[in-house]
Amino acid sequence: MRVELVPAEATSLAFARDLTRRAMLPYYREYGLLWIEEAFDEAWGWREQWLIKEGETVLGFCSLSQDRQALFIRELHLVPEQRGRGVGSQVLETLADWAAQRRLPLLRLMVFKSNPARQLYLRHGFVEMGEDDCFVRMQRVIG
């Protein structure tokens, strides 16, 4: 399996929004948060948007931003039938490589406390830096 990240076009917005909503809505409900479609759509314009593909098959999508210190994983979602195949692991390693290429010392993300993906991040060298009522802030040192 060879997974690649390709730039998402505006035509992928509906797919990405739907995938994110379906993946995150249970956590939003658990923590009493409100899902706002417009907020997702607005962020689409200022973040880097990438489709996760294997050949012509779209496996998921990720959304990134960066500052002087870190590449931030804002969203990372796989279609349900692609989970558990190592796709997320490949994406995380690709993003760590990108952070290094951009000369950024950190790869960062936030994850819902109850999200099992938290274990995936720990296995890939992320450490927990703090938490609030519903999120854990994590980062991985690059290099």
Side-chain angles (χ1 to χ4, degrees), residues 7-42:
E9 303 290 335
T11 54
S12 298
L13 171 61
F15 162 78
R17 183 194 322 112
D18 183 58
L19 180 61
T20 302
R21 183 191 331 93
R22 283 185 288 127
M24 293 292 102
L25 210 48
Y27 302 108
Y28 275 69
R29 288 184 180 128
E30 177 181 357
Y31 293 102
L33 302 175
L34 182 64
W35 170 263
I36 302 171
E37 301 263 315
E38 295 78 17
F40 183 93
D41 292 358
E42 185 179 305

PDB file of all heavy atoms in Angstrom, residues 7-42:
ATOM      1  N   PRO A   7      -2.957  17.732  -2.981  1.00  0.00           N
ATOM      2  CA  PRO A   7      -3.723  18.929  -2.628  1.00  0.00           C
ATOM      3  C   PRO A   7      -5.211  18.743  -2.937  1.00  0.00           C
ATOM      4  O   PRO A   7      -5.584  18.250  -3.988  1.00  0.00           O
ATOM      5  CB  PRO A   7      -3.115  20.022  -3.518  1.00  0.00           C
ATOM      6  CG  PRO A   7      -1.737  19.516  -3.847  1.00  0.00           C
ATOM      7  CD  PRO A   7      -1.865  18.022  -3.920  1.00  0.00           C
ATOM      8  N   ALA A   8      -6.032  19.147  -1.983  1.00  0.00           N
ATOM      9  CA  ALA A   8      -7.489  19.062  -2.164  1.00  0.00           C
ATOM     10  C   ALA A   8      -7.961  20.300  -2.912  1.00  0.00           C
ATOM     11  O   ALA A   8      -7.501  21.409  -2.655  1.00  0.00           O
ATOM     12  CB  ALA A   8      -8.181  18.959  -0.810  1.00  0.00           C
ATOM     13  N   GLU A   9      -8.876  20.085  -3.814  1.00  0.00           N
ATOM     14  CA  GLU A   9      -9.492  21.181  -4.559  1.00  0.00           C
ATOM     15  C   GLU A   9     -10.752  21.633  -3.818  1.00  0.00           C
ATOM     16  O   GLU A   9     -11.261  20.937  -2.946  1.00  0.00           O
ATOM     17  CB  GLU A   9      -9.873  20.701  -5.969  1.00  0.00           C
ATOM     18  CG  GLU A   9      -8.724  20.132  -6.781  1.00  0.00           C
ATOM     19  CD  GLU A   9      -7.717  21.181  -7.203  1.00  0.00           C
ATOM     20  OE1 GLU A   9      -8.104  22.368  -7.306  1.00  0.00           O
ATOM     21  OE2 GLU A   9      -6.546  20.814  -7.405  1.00  0.00           O
ATOM     22  N   ALA A  10     -11.277  22.775  -4.224  1.00  0.00           N
ATOM     23  CA  ALA A  10     -12.513  23.279  -3.623  1.00  0.00           C
ATOM     24  C   ALA A  10     -13.650  22.262  -3.756  1.00  0.00           C
ATOM     25  O   ALA A  10     -14.532  22.192  -2.897  1.00  0.00           O
ATOM     26  CB  ALA A  10     -12.900  24.608  -4.258  1.00  0.00           C
ATOM     27  N   THR A  11     -13.603  21.452  -4.809  1.00  0.00           N
ATOM     28  CA  THR A  11     -14.648  20.451  -5.033  1.00  0.00           C
ATOM     29  C   THR A  11     -14.637  19.350  -3.961  1.00  0.00           C
ATOM     30  O   THR A  11     -15.586  18.583  -3.869  1.00  0.00           O
ATOM     31  CB  THR A  11     -14.495  19.812  -6.418  1.00  0.00           C
ATOM     32  OG1 THR A  11     -13.168  19.295  -6.540  1.00  0.00           O
ATOM     33  CG2 THR A  11     -14.752  20.833  -7.524  1.00  0.00           C
ATOM     34  N   SER A  12     -13.567  19.274  -3.160  1.00  0.00           N
ATOM     35  CA  SER A  12     -13.480  18.264  -2.097  1.00  0.00           C
ATOM     36  C   SER A  12     -14.039  18.751  -0.772  1.00  0.00           C
ATOM     37  O   SER A  12     -14.099  17.983   0.191  1.00  0.00           O
ATOM     38  CB  SER A  12     -12.020  17.848  -1.896  1.00  0.00           C
ATOM     39  OG  SER A  12     -11.502  17.264  -3.064  1.00  0.00           O
ATOM     40  N   LEU A  13     -14.446  20.011  -0.708  1.00  0.00           N
ATOM     41  CA  LEU A  13     -14.930  20.578   0.551  1.00  0.00           C
ATOM     42  C   LEU A  13     -16.092  19.774   1.140  1.00  0.00           C
ATOM     43  O   LEU A  13     -16.071  19.419   2.323  1.00  0.00           O
ATOM     44  CB  LEU A  13     -15.340  22.042   0.356  1.00  0.00           C
ATOM     45  CG  LEU A  13     -16.073  22.708   1.518  1.00  0.00           C
ATOM     46  CD1 LEU A  13     -15.228  22.731   2.775  1.00  0.00           C
ATOM     47  CD2 LEU A  13     -16.498  24.117   1.131  1.00  0.00           C
ATOM     48  N   ALA A  14     -17.095  19.461   0.344  1.00  0.00           N
ATOM     49  CA  ALA A  14     -18.270  18.740   0.862  1.00  0.00           C
ATOM     50  C   ALA A  14     -17.871  17.360   1.398  1.00  0.00           C
ATOM     51  O   ALA A  14     -18.333  16.943   2.466  1.00  0.00           O
ATOM     52  CB  ALA A  14     -19.341  18.615  -0.214  1.00  0.00           C
ATOM     53  N   PHE A  15     -16.997  16.657   0.681  1.00  0.00           N
ATOM     54  CA  PHE A  15     -16.511  15.352   1.143  1.00  0.00           C
ATOM     55  C   PHE A  15     -15.805  15.495   2.488  1.00  0.00           C
ATOM     56  O   PHE A  15     -16.076  14.752   3.432  1.00  0.00           O
ATOM     57  CB  PHE A  15     -15.557  14.734   0.104  1.00  0.00           C
ATOM     58  CG  PHE A  15     -14.703  13.639   0.663  1.00  0.00           C
ATOM     59  CD1 PHE A  15     -15.226  12.368   0.863  1.00  0.00           C
ATOM     60  CD2 PHE A  15     -13.380  13.876   1.011  1.00  0.00           C
ATOM     61  CE1 PHE A  15     -14.437  11.348   1.402  1.00  0.00           C
ATOM     62  CE2 PHE A  15     -12.584  12.871   1.547  1.00  0.00           C
ATOM     63  CZ  PHE A  15     -13.118  11.607   1.741  1.00  0.00           C
ATOM     64  N   ALA A  16     -14.890  16.462   2.572  1.00  0.00           N
ATOM     65  CA  ALA A  16     -14.100  16.645   3.791  1.00  0.00           C
ATOM     66  C   ALA A  16     -14.986  17.048   4.967  1.00  0.00           C
ATOM     67  O   ALA A  16     -14.819  16.538   6.084  1.00  0.00           O
ATOM     68  CB  ALA A  16     -13.014  17.688   3.553  1.00  0.00           C
ATOM     69  N   ARG A  17     -15.922  17.947   4.724  1.00  0.00           N
ATOM     70  CA  ARG A  17     -16.823  18.392   5.788  1.00  0.00           C
ATOM     71  C   ARG A  17     -17.664  17.225   6.296  1.00  0.00           C
ATOM     72  O   ARG A  17     -17.808  17.011   7.499  1.00  0.00           O
ATOM     73  CB  ARG A  17     -17.729  19.517   5.301  1.00  0.00           C
ATOM     74  CG  ARG A  17     -18.630  20.057   6.406  1.00  0.00           C
ATOM     75  CD  ARG A  17     -19.769  20.942   5.935  1.00  0.00           C
ATOM     76  NE  ARG A  17     -19.495  21.831   4.852  1.00  0.00           N
ATOM     77  CZ  ARG A  17     -20.042  21.708   3.628  1.00  0.00           C
ATOM     78  NH1 ARG A  17     -20.868  20.711   3.344  1.00  0.00           N
ATOM     79  NH2 ARG A  17     -19.770  22.597   2.689  1.00  0.00           N
ATOM     80  N   ASP A  18     -18.222  16.429   5.370  1.00  0.00           N
ATOM     81  CA  ASP A  18     -19.066  15.299   5.753  1.00  0.00           C
ATOM     82  C   ASP A  18     -18.261  14.250   6.523  1.00  0.00           C
ATOM     83  O   ASP A  18     -18.726  13.732   7.543  1.00  0.00           O
ATOM     84  CB  ASP A  18     -19.710  14.697   4.510  1.00  0.00           C
ATOM     85  CG  ASP A  18     -20.666  13.568   4.858  1.00  0.00           C
ATOM     86  OD1 ASP A  18     -21.617  13.818   5.622  1.00  0.00           O
ATOM     87  OD2 ASP A  18     -20.441  12.441   4.381  1.00  0.00           O
ATOM     88  N   LEU A  19     -17.065  13.958   6.040  1.00  0.00           N
ATOM     89  CA  LEU A  19     -16.218  12.973   6.711  1.00  0.00           C
ATOM     90  C   LEU A  19     -15.868  13.444   8.120  1.00  0.00           C
ATOM     91  O   LEU A  19     -15.950  12.675   9.089  1.00  0.00           O
ATOM     92  CB  LEU A  19     -14.943  12.734   5.892  1.00  0.00           C
ATOM     93  CG  LEU A  19     -13.953  11.729   6.453  1.00  0.00           C
ATOM     94  CD1 LEU A  19     -14.566  10.344   6.572  1.00  0.00           C
ATOM     95  CD2 LEU A  19     -12.700  11.687   5.571  1.00  0.00           C
ATOM     96  N   THR A  20     -15.510  14.714   8.248  1.00  0.00           N
ATOM     97  CA  THR A  20     -15.152  15.268   9.560  1.00  0.00           C
ATOM     98  C   THR A  20     -16.356  15.254  10.495  1.00  0.00           C
ATOM     99  O   THR A  20     -16.250  14.845  11.660  1.00  0.00           O
ATOM    100  CB  THR A  20     -14.606  16.696   9.406  1.00  0.00           C
ATOM    101  OG1 THR A  20     -13.463  16.659   8.531  1.00  0.00           O
ATOM    102  CG2 THR A  20     -14.196  17.281  10.741  1.00  0.00           C
ATOM    103  N   ARG A  21     -17.506  15.687   9.990  1.00  0.00           N
ATOM    104  CA  ARG A  21     -18.713  15.709  10.823  1.00  0.00           C
ATOM    105  C   ARG A  21     -19.039  14.312  11.332  1.00  0.00           C
ATOM    106  O   ARG A  21     -19.296  14.112  12.513  1.00  0.00           O
ATOM    107  CB  ARG A  21     -19.901  16.282  10.050  1.00  0.00           C
ATOM    108  CG  ARG A  21     -21.162  16.388  10.929  1.00  0.00           C
ATOM    109  CD  ARG A  21     -22.466  16.705  10.218  1.00  0.00           C
ATOM    110  NE  ARG A  21     -22.469  17.474   9.015  1.00  0.00           N
ATOM    111  CZ  ARG A  21     -22.433  16.965   7.763  1.00  0.00           C
ATOM    112  NH1 ARG A  21     -22.355  15.666   7.559  1.00  0.00           N
ATOM    113  NH2 ARG A  21     -22.487  17.750   6.705  1.00  0.00           N
ATOM    114  N   ARG A  22     -19.035  13.332  10.420  1.00  0.00           N
ATOM    115  CA  ARG A  22     -19.384  11.962  10.826  1.00  0.00           C
ATOM    116  C   ARG A  22     -18.390  11.418  11.856  1.00  0.00           C
ATOM    117  O   ARG A  22     -18.776  10.708  12.782  1.00  0.00           O
ATOM    118  CB  ARG A  22     -19.453  11.038   9.620  1.00  0.00           C
ATOM    119  CG  ARG A  22     -20.753  11.234   8.824  1.00  0.00           C
ATOM    120  CD  ARG A  22     -20.908  10.236   7.690  1.00  0.00           C
ATOM    121  NE  ARG A  22     -19.963  10.543   6.610  1.00  0.00           N
ATOM    122  CZ  ARG A  22     -19.110   9.672   6.071  1.00  0.00           C
ATOM    123  NH1 ARG A  22     -19.101   8.414   6.470  1.00  0.00           N
ATOM    124  NH2 ARG A  22     -18.291  10.034   5.106  1.00  0.00           N
ATOM    125  N   ALA A  23     -17.113  11.754  11.694  1.00  0.00           N
ATOM    126  CA  ALA A  23     -16.098  11.257  12.628  1.00  0.00           C
ATOM    127  C   ALA A  23     -16.156  11.963  13.978  1.00  0.00           C
ATOM    128  O   ALA A  23     -15.939  11.344  15.027  1.00  0.00           O
ATOM    129  CB  ALA A  23     -14.706  11.435  12.012  1.00  0.00           C
ATOM    130  N   MET A  24     -16.463  13.256  13.966  1.00  0.00           N
ATOM    131  CA  MET A  24     -16.353  14.067  15.178  1.00  0.00           C
ATOM    132  C   MET A  24     -17.654  14.267  15.941  1.00  0.00           C
ATOM    133  O   MET A  24     -17.631  14.565  17.131  1.00  0.00           O
ATOM    134  CB  MET A  24     -15.763  15.438  14.831  1.00  0.00           C
ATOM    135  CG  MET A  24     -14.314  15.380  14.372  1.00  0.00           C
ATOM    136  SD  MET A  24     -13.187  14.893  15.716  1.00  0.00           S
ATOM    137  CE  MET A  24     -12.881  13.155  15.327  1.00  0.00           C
ATOM    138  N   LEU A  25     -18.796  14.082  15.280  1.00  0.00           N
ATOM    139  CA  LEU A  25     -20.069  14.356  15.946  1.00  0.00           C
ATOM    140  C   LEU A  25     -20.251  13.594  17.261  1.00  0.00           C
ATOM    141  O   LEU A  25     -20.728  14.174  18.245  1.00  0.00           O
ATOM    142  CB  LEU A  25     -21.235  14.101  14.987  1.00  0.00           C
ATOM    143  CG  LEU A  25     -22.481  14.946  15.211  1.00  0.00           C
ATOM    144  CD1 LEU A  25     -22.167  16.424  15.360  1.00  0.00           C
ATOM    145  CD2 LEU A  25     -23.475  14.714  14.083  1.00  0.00           C
ATOM    146  N   PRO A  26     -19.861  12.320  17.347  1.00  0.00           N
ATOM    147  CA  PRO A  26     -20.005  11.634  18.639  1.00  0.00           C
ATOM    148  C   PRO A  26     -19.224  12.325  19.765  1.00  0.00           C
ATOM    149  O   PRO A  26     -19.701  12.388  20.898  1.00  0.00           O
ATOM    150  CB  PRO A  26     -19.454  10.231  18.371  1.00  0.00           C
ATOM    151  CG  PRO A  26     -19.608  10.041  16.892  1.00  0.00           C
ATOM    152  CD  PRO A  26     -19.405  11.407  16.290  1.00  0.00           C
ATOM    153  N   TYR A  27     -18.049  12.859  19.456  1.00  0.00           N
ATOM    154  CA  TYR A  27     -17.249  13.554  20.466  1.00  0.00           C
ATOM    155  C   TYR A  27     -17.868  14.907  20.803  1.00  0.00           C
ATOM    156  O   TYR A  27     -17.881  15.312  21.960  1.00  0.00           O
ATOM    157  CB  TYR A  27     -15.803  13.723  19.999  1.00  0.00           C
ATOM    158  CG  TYR A  27     -15.149  12.405  19.694  1.00  0.00           C
ATOM    159  CD1 TYR A  27     -14.873  12.021  18.387  1.00  0.00           C
ATOM    160  CD2 TYR A  27     -14.830  11.514  20.723  1.00  0.00           C
ATOM    161  CE1 TYR A  27     -14.288  10.804  18.101  1.00  0.00           C
ATOM    162  CE2 TYR A  27     -14.254  10.283  20.448  1.00  0.00           C
ATOM    163  CZ  TYR A  27     -13.985   9.933  19.135  1.00  0.00           C
ATOM    164  OH  TYR A  27     -13.421   8.727  18.865  1.00  0.00           O
ATOM    165  N   TYR A  28     -18.357  15.608  19.798  1.00  0.00           N
ATOM    166  CA  TYR A  28     -19.035  16.880  20.046  1.00  0.00           C
ATOM    167  C   TYR A  28     -20.215  16.660  20.990  1.00  0.00           C
ATOM    168  O   TYR A  28     -20.431  17.428  21.928  1.00  0.00           O
ATOM    169  CB  TYR A  28     -19.506  17.508  18.729  1.00  0.00           C
ATOM    170  CG  TYR A  28     -18.448  18.329  18.042  1.00  0.00           C
ATOM    171  CD1 TYR A  28     -17.328  17.733  17.469  1.00  0.00           C
ATOM    172  CD2 TYR A  28     -18.560  19.715  17.958  1.00  0.00           C
ATOM    173  CE1 TYR A  28     -16.361  18.491  16.834  1.00  0.00           C
ATOM    174  CE2 TYR A  28     -17.594  20.482  17.325  1.00  0.00           C
ATOM    175  CZ  TYR A  28     -16.485  19.863  16.766  1.00  0.00           C
ATOM    176  OH  TYR A  28     -15.523  20.608  16.150  1.00  0.00           O
ATOM    177  N   ARG A  29     -20.980  15.591  20.738  1.00  0.00           N
ATOM    178  CA  ARG A  29     -22.122  15.290  21.608  1.00  0.00           C
ATOM    179  C   ARG A  29     -21.656  14.923  23.018  1.00  0.00           C
ATOM    180  O   ARG A  29     -22.215  15.387  24.005  1.00  0.00           O
ATOM    181  CB  ARG A  29     -22.957  14.164  21.015  1.00  0.00           C
ATOM    182  CG  ARG A  29     -23.747  14.593  19.803  1.00  0.00           C
ATOM    183  CD  ARG A  29     -24.651  13.473  19.287  1.00  0.00           C
ATOM    184  NE  ARG A  29     -25.403  13.906  18.138  1.00  0.00           N
ATOM    185  CZ  ARG A  29     -25.438  13.245  16.980  1.00  0.00           C
ATOM    186  NH1 ARG A  29     -24.802  12.098  16.840  1.00  0.00           N
ATOM    187  NH2 ARG A  29     -26.136  13.714  15.964  1.00  0.00           N
ATOM    188  N   GLU A  30     -20.634  14.088  23.091  1.00  0.00           N
ATOM    189  CA  GLU A  30     -20.110  13.642  24.390  1.00  0.00           C
ATOM    190  C   GLU A  30     -19.697  14.830  25.265  1.00  0.00           C
ATOM    191  O   GLU A  30     -19.918  14.823  26.475  1.00  0.00           O
ATOM    192  CB  GLU A  30     -18.907  12.713  24.165  1.00  0.00           C
ATOM    193  CG  GLU A  30     -18.237  12.251  25.438  1.00  0.00           C
ATOM    194  CD  GLU A  30     -17.033  11.343  25.185  1.00  0.00           C
ATOM    195  OE1 GLU A  30     -16.742  11.012  24.005  1.00  0.00           O
ATOM    196  OE2 GLU A  30     -16.370  10.980  26.171  1.00  0.00           O
ATOM    197  N   TYR A  31     -19.089  15.833  24.644  1.00  0.00           N
ATOM    198  CA  TYR A  31     -18.559  16.971  25.400  1.00  0.00           C
ATOM    199  C   TYR A  31     -19.454  18.208  25.335  1.00  0.00           C
ATOM    200  O   TYR A  31     -19.061  19.282  25.780  1.00  0.00           O
ATOM    201  CB  TYR A  31     -17.142  17.299  24.926  1.00  0.00           C
ATOM    202  CG  TYR A  31     -16.166  16.195  25.262  1.00  0.00           C
ATOM    203  CD1 TYR A  31     -15.743  15.299  24.282  1.00  0.00           C
ATOM    204  CD2 TYR A  31     -15.697  16.025  26.562  1.00  0.00           C
ATOM    205  CE1 TYR A  31     -14.855  14.279  24.593  1.00  0.00           C
ATOM    206  CE2 TYR A  31     -14.822  15.002  26.879  1.00  0.00           C
ATOM    207  CZ  TYR A  31     -14.405  14.131  25.901  1.00  0.00           C
ATOM    208  OH  TYR A  31     -13.536  13.109  26.215  1.00  0.00           O
ATOM    209  N   GLY A  32     -20.657  18.061  24.785  1.00  0.00           N
ATOM    210  CA  GLY A  32     -21.603  19.163  24.759  1.00  0.00           C
ATOM    211  C   GLY A  32     -21.190  20.317  23.864  1.00  0.00           C
ATOM    212  O   GLY A  32     -21.499  21.476  24.148  1.00  0.00           O
ATOM    213  N   LEU A  33     -20.508  20.016  22.773  1.00  0.00           N
ATOM    214  CA  LEU A  33     -20.055  21.045  21.832  1.00  0.00           C
ATOM    215  C   LEU A  33     -21.004  21.112  20.648  1.00  0.00           C
ATOM    216  O   LEU A  33     -21.677  20.142  20.319  1.00  0.00           O
ATOM    217  CB  LEU A  33     -18.632  20.744  21.352  1.00  0.00           C
ATOM    218  CG  LEU A  33     -17.566  20.637  22.443  1.00  0.00           C
ATOM    219  CD1 LEU A  33     -16.239  20.218  21.845  1.00  0.00           C
ATOM    220  CD2 LEU A  33     -17.438  21.955  23.205  1.00  0.00           C
ATOM    221  N   LEU A  34     -21.010  22.242  20.003  1.00  0.00           N
ATOM    222  CA  LEU A  34     -21.878  22.462  18.851  1.00  0.00           C
ATOM    223  C   LEU A  34     -21.065  22.386  17.564  1.00  0.00           C
ATOM    224  O   LEU A  34     -20.065  23.094  17.416  1.00  0.00           O
ATOM    225  CB  LEU A  34     -22.538  23.848  18.977  1.00  0.00           C
ATOM    226  CG  LEU A  34     -23.529  24.233  17.884  1.00  0.00           C
ATOM    227  CD1 LEU A  34     -24.738  23.308  17.899  1.00  0.00           C
ATOM    228  CD2 LEU A  34     -23.965  25.683  18.080  1.00  0.00           C
ATOM    229  N   TRP A  35     -21.465  21.514  16.649  1.00  0.00           N
ATOM    230  CA  TRP A  35     -20.828  21.427  15.330  1.00  0.00           C
ATOM    231  C   TRP A  35     -21.368  22.575  14.481  1.00  0.00           C
ATOM    232  O   TRP A  35     -22.580  22.729  14.339  1.00  0.00           O
ATOM    233  CB  TRP A  35     -21.140  20.082  14.673  1.00  0.00           C
ATOM    234  CG  TRP A  35     -20.726  20.036  13.239  1.00  0.00           C
ATOM    235  CD1 TRP A  35     -21.525  20.250  12.153  1.00  0.00           C
ATOM    236  CD2 TRP A  35     -19.408  19.792  12.732  1.00  0.00           C
ATOM    237  NE1 TRP A  35     -20.789  20.148  10.999  1.00  0.00           N
ATOM    238  CE2 TRP A  35     -19.489  19.872  11.315  1.00  0.00           C
ATOM    239  CE3 TRP A  35     -18.183  19.526  13.310  1.00  0.00           C
ATOM    240  CZ2 TRP A  35     -18.384  19.684  10.494  1.00  0.00           C
ATOM    241  CZ3 TRP A  35     -17.088  19.339  12.495  1.00  0.00           C
ATOM    242  CH2 TRP A  35     -17.195  19.408  11.107  1.00  0.00           C
ATOM    243  N   ILE A  36     -20.463  23.371  13.910  1.00  0.00           N
ATOM    244  CA  ILE A  36     -20.857  24.521  13.095  1.00  0.00           C
ATOM    245  C   ILE A  36     -20.269  24.359  11.698  1.00  0.00           C
ATOM    246  O   ILE A  36     -19.050  24.463  11.512  1.00  0.00           O
ATOM    247  CB  ILE A  36     -20.389  25.845  13.746  1.00  0.00           C
ATOM    248  CG1 ILE A  36     -20.985  25.965  15.144  1.00  0.00           C
ATOM    249  CG2 ILE A  36     -20.783  27.039  12.869  1.00  0.00           C
ATOM    250  CD1 ILE A  36     -20.434  27.121  15.955  1.00  0.00           C
ATOM    251  N   GLU A  37     -21.149  24.058  10.752  1.00  0.00           N
ATOM    252  CA  GLU A  37     -20.701  23.841   9.361  1.00  0.00           C
ATOM    253  C   GLU A  37     -19.913  25.036   8.828  1.00  0.00           C
ATOM    254  O   GLU A  37     -18.899  24.881   8.165  1.00  0.00           O
ATOM    255  CB  GLU A  37     -21.919  23.617   8.452  1.00  0.00           C
ATOM    256  CG  GLU A  37     -22.784  22.450   8.844  1.00  0.00           C
ATOM    257  CD  GLU A  37     -22.488  21.180   8.073  1.00  0.00           C
ATOM    258  OE1 GLU A  37     -22.345  21.249   6.853  1.00  0.00           O
ATOM    259  OE2 GLU A  37     -22.393  20.126   8.717  1.00  0.00           O
ATOM    260  N   GLU A  38     -20.413  26.253   9.110  1.00  0.00           N
ATOM    261  CA  GLU A  38     -19.787  27.455   8.574  1.00  0.00           C
ATOM    262  C   GLU A  38     -18.350  27.611   9.073  1.00  0.00           C
ATOM    263  O   GLU A  38     -17.498  28.121   8.352  1.00  0.00           O
ATOM    264  CB  GLU A  38     -20.605  28.704   8.921  1.00  0.00           C
ATOM    265  CG  GLU A  38     -21.976  28.740   8.273  1.00  0.00           C
ATOM    266  CD  GLU A  38     -23.023  27.842   8.955  1.00  0.00           C
ATOM    267  OE1 GLU A  38     -22.806  27.415  10.123  1.00  0.00           O
ATOM    268  OE2 GLU A  38     -24.043  27.543   8.311  1.00  0.00           O
ATOM    269  N   ALA A  39     -18.076  27.197  10.302  1.00  0.00           N
ATOM    270  CA  ALA A  39     -16.719  27.300  10.844  1.00  0.00           C
ATOM    271  C   ALA A  39     -15.773  26.382  10.075  1.00  0.00           C
ATOM    272  O   ALA A  39     -14.632  26.764   9.761  1.00  0.00           O
ATOM    273  CB  ALA A  39     -16.709  26.957  12.329  1.00  0.00           C
ATOM    274  N   PHE A  40     -16.249  25.191   9.750  1.00  0.00           N
ATOM    275  CA  PHE A  40     -15.429  24.274   8.955  1.00  0.00           C
ATOM    276  C   PHE A  40     -15.151  24.886   7.587  1.00  0.00           C
ATOM    277  O   PHE A  40     -14.009  24.911   7.123  1.00  0.00           O
ATOM    278  CB  PHE A  40     -16.122  22.916   8.799  1.00  0.00           C
ATOM    279  CG  PHE A  40     -15.284  21.911   8.060  1.00  0.00           C
ATOM    280  CD1 PHE A  40     -14.472  21.043   8.758  1.00  0.00           C
ATOM    281  CD2 PHE A  40     -15.296  21.851   6.678  1.00  0.00           C
ATOM    282  CE1 PHE A  40     -13.676  20.120   8.084  1.00  0.00           C
ATOM    283  CE2 PHE A  40     -14.510  20.937   5.989  1.00  0.00           C
ATOM    284  CZ  PHE A  40     -13.698  20.070   6.703  1.00  0.00           C
ATOM    285  N   ASP A  41     -16.202  25.396   6.950  1.00  0.00           N
ATOM    286  CA  ASP A  41     -16.055  25.962   5.609  1.00  0.00           C
ATOM    287  C   ASP A  41     -15.122  27.168   5.604  1.00  0.00           C
ATOM    288  O   ASP A  41     -14.320  27.337   4.684  1.00  0.00           O
ATOM    289  CB  ASP A  41     -17.420  26.356   5.044  1.00  0.00           C
ATOM    290  CG  ASP A  41     -18.309  25.143   4.765  1.00  0.00           C
ATOM    291  OD1 ASP A  41     -17.859  23.997   4.972  1.00  0.00           O
ATOM    292  OD2 ASP A  41     -19.454  25.356   4.337  1.00  0.00           O
ATOM    293  N   GLU A  42     -15.201  27.988   6.650  1.00  0.00           N
ATOM    294  CA  GLU A  42     -14.324  29.161   6.726  1.00  0.00           C
ATOM    295  C   GLU A  42     -12.864  28.731   6.867  1.00  0.00           C
ATOM    296  O   GLU A  42     -11.982  29.281   6.210  1.00  0.00           O
ATOM    297  CB  GLU A  42     -14.739  30.029   7.911  1.00  0.00           C
ATOM    298  CG  GLU A  42     -13.958  31.321   8.004  1.00  0.00           C
ATOM    299  CD  GLU A  42     -14.415  32.168   9.175  1.00  0.00           C
ATOM    300  OE1 GLU A  42     -15.630  32.458   9.250  1.00  0.00           O
ATOM    301  OE2 GLU A  42     -13.560  32.515  10.007  1.00  0.00           O
TER     302      GLU A  42
END
